Amino acid sequence: MPDATGLELLAHELGDAAIETVYFRNRATVVVDPAHIRAALQTLRAKGYGFLASVHGVDHYPEEPRLGVVYELLDMSRVDRLTVKLRVPADAPRVESVTGDWPTADHQEREVYDMFGVVFEGHPDLRRILMPEDYEGHPQRRDFPTGGEPVIFTRNETTWLEALE
Amino acid sequence: MEVKREPVPRRAGAPGLPGADAGLRVQSLNARQLLRGGDLEGANQPAHLEGSELEPELERYVQERILTTTLDDAVAWARSNSFFPLAFGLACCAMEQFHTAGPRMDIARFGFEAFRASPRQADLIILAGRVSIKMAPIIRRLYDQMLEPKWAISMGACCSSMGVFNNYALVPADKFMPIDVHVPGCPPRPEALMHGILKLRKLVQNDPDRGWRERYDAVGTEEAPSGV
């Protein structure tokens, strides 16, 4: 991990893109402006954080801006980890894709799009990856209704007699 | 003049099975008819042929060696003893399903030993595991590809009621295909699946097991549906 000072130096490298730095329990996090996420990640990649370990989504409902995307970076020569976060509003969830830099982001961004509805601009093939393609809604959002299909028991099933009426 | 109608006789033990009585049925022949080559027209024979001294012995000889039954029953017996299940598993329940084919449960005792890899050759599908919304059309296609007559067992809580995964991803099997036997459990032990399979055998043999309400004479004690 970069220490707190190293985190500040990294954030200084990012310039205006860095909004906030959080250093909590030896975990270094940079919150980045979503408009500059790709440039910021490219800068960090040039600094040695070459491995994109994970891309995942968060829903901070009811906070605004609501949807978050988290990038976990790893510097494999120094075994140094860095978390990059961004937040976008749910009515305009547009983030630039980093698939061009890290091909591993392809499926992970598709999963974030599938589950949270974050649209990654510039993604080569932004389709649903887990749910059926004709599925409506993004099931991991926190305002998505829990519970699935109502279970049919004998007391609430429609008999053929009732169906005739 | 009022015509009194006799109630249509119905075979006991086959409620709710449409077409159970509608199949082709071979008329039972007595020994004399069998000796004449099964001539059904010969039911009213001239009196001079009866009373021969040889006939009681012949009749007993034949009766001891020939079993008469209906074709329906014979076919159902054969079908229920030669199920070809589809080699098909969805999740952890499949592990228990494998064990029914193992030496302890030994499903082969009931003619189950041939798990078919193609739905065209199978007549039983055991849905062992959870069915996701994405998997449901595939399972439905497999079921549609099976040739009639075909049966389906829903194994485990997920497949019947989605169990602990009652969320956006799963769908119960009853929503997209007909299920003959539901086996509860999470996952059901191999014994439970065997119990379900034996229930299905009885179902195929037109002699379904009665529910516990009939067995314990408790019809009418059903719980009142909520909100009614």
Side-chain angles (χ1 to χ4, degrees):
Chain A
M1 304 292 158
D3 55 11
T5 317
L7 179 62
E8 292 303 323
L9 288 172
L10 271 178
H12 188 258
E13 291 276 339
L14 296 180
D16 290 340
I19 297 174
E20 188 188 353
T21 56
V22 181
Y23 192 79
F24 180 66
R25 288 190 177 168
N26 297 325
R27 297 284 302 185
T29 305
V30 191
V31 183
V32 172
D33 183 1
H36 302 110
I37 178 64
R38 186 163 184 192
L41 287 179
Q42 278 169 345
T43 307
L44 291 170
R45 182 179 184 149
K47 298 289 286 181
Y49 294 94
F51 180 60
L52 182 63
S54 174
V55 179
H56 45 265
V58 189
D59 188 1
H60 293 276
Y61 180 82
E63 289 176 26
E64 281 295 336
R66 188 177 141 185
L67 299 173
V69 182
V70 181
Y71 302 81
E72 302 284 351
L73 295 176
L74 172 64
D75 183 340
M76 289 204 286
S77 59
R78 287 181 292 156
V79 195
D80 197 15
R81 291 178 191 275
L82 180 68
T83 304
V84 179
K85 292 182 179 179
L86 61 84
R87 294 277 282 272
V88 283
D91 50 351
R94 298 187 172 279
V95 180
E96 198 176 354
S97 170
V98 295
T99 306
D101 299 324
W102 284 282
T104 181
D106 186 334
H107 283 188
Q108 303 187 52
E109 285 177 349
R110 276 177 69 186
E111 184 177 351
V112 174
Y113 163 72
D114 192 356
M115 291 292 147
F116 294 95
V118 178
V119 177
F120 289 91
E121 288 173 328
H123 191 284
D125 184 24
L126 194 64
R127 289 179 293 130
R128 288 185 182 275
I129 188 170
L130 295 175
M131 303 305 291
E133 298 207 354
D134 55 351
Y135 195 80
E136 287 179 11
H138 301 283
Q140 289 281 354
R141 286 192 178 185
R142 293 182 75 178
D143 54 355
F144 194 84
T146 56
E149 296 275 332
V151 179
I152 294 180
F153 293 105
T154 42
R155 67 168 179 274
N156 58 4
E157 77 177 335
T158 308
T159 62
W160 63 273
L161 259 179
E162 290 165 352
L164 281 181
E165 288 166 0
Chain B
M1 196 174 77
E2 192 180 352
V3 178
K4 196 173 181 184
R5 285 195 181 156
E6 291 290 318
V8 179
R10 190 184 169 85
R11 254 194 305 169
L17 280 175
D21 291 342
L24 185 61
R25 186 177 291 187
V26 175
Q27 186 178 340
S28 297
L29 306 176
N30 62 27
R32 205 174 297 121
Q33 288 165 335
L34 279 168
L35 286 176
R36 294 189 188 99
D39 185 10
L40 294 180
E41 297 291 322
N44 300 317
Q45 285 298 318
H48 70 271
L49 282 178
E50 293 179 0
S52 161
E53 288 182 0
L54 274 176
E55 283 213 350
E57 224 171 293
L58 258 179
E59 190 146 349
R60 204 179 65 242
Y61 180 86
V62 171
Q63 275 177 355
E64 282 169 359
R65 282 158 182 82
I66 289 187
L67 188 70
T68 59
T69 179
T70 61
L71 186 59
D72 265 0
D73 286 349
V75 167
W77 177 82
R79 276 175 183 160
S80 66
N81 283 296
S82 62
F83 276 120
F84 280 16
L86 189 60
F88 178 69
L90 287 165
C92 35
C93 283
M95 297 294 147
E96 308 294 320
Q97 186 199 342
F98 302 154
H99 285 85
T100 56
R104 184 178 283 264
M105 289 297 116
D106 195 12
I107 208 174
R109 287 177 292 166
F110 306 103
F112 270 74
E113 63 264 15
F115 277 82
R116 307 314 298 194
S118 162
R120 299 288 187 199
Q121 300 170 351
D123 56 3
L124 169 68
I125 183 170
I126 300 176
L127 298 179
R130 69 251 179 306
V131 183
S132 67
I133 296 176
K134 227 172 170 179
M135 192 68 187
I138 296 156
I139 293 174
R140 177 71 211 206
R141 174 179 291 183
L142 283 176
Y143 181 75
D144 288 342
Q145 283 176 344
M146 287 161 60
L147 300 181
E148 293 280 357
K150 55 190 175 184
W151 294 274
I153 290 179
S154 153
M155 180 183 178
C158 301
C159 194
S160 305
S161 67
M162 296 178 296
V164 295
F165 302 113
N166 191 356
N167 60 15
Y168 59 87
L170 298 195
V171 62
D174 301 81
K175 289 281 167 95
F176 59 89
M177 62 181 276
I179 300 289
D180 293 295
V181 173
H182 295 266
V183 179
C186 187
R189 289 179 63 92
E191 291 94 317
L193 183 60
M194 282 303 295
H195 187 67
I197 284 168
L198 295 183
K199 291 256 183 197
L200 183 68
R201 287 177 87 233
K202 300 278 270 183
L203 198 76
V204 174
Q205 289 168 2
N206 285 343
D207 183 23
D209 279 337
R210 294 179 304 159
W212 65 271
R213 287 189 204 280
E214 285 97 53
R215 275 190 275 122
Y216 295 106
D217 195 18
V219 175
T221 61
E222 289 88 354
E223 203 177 323
S226 56
V228 176

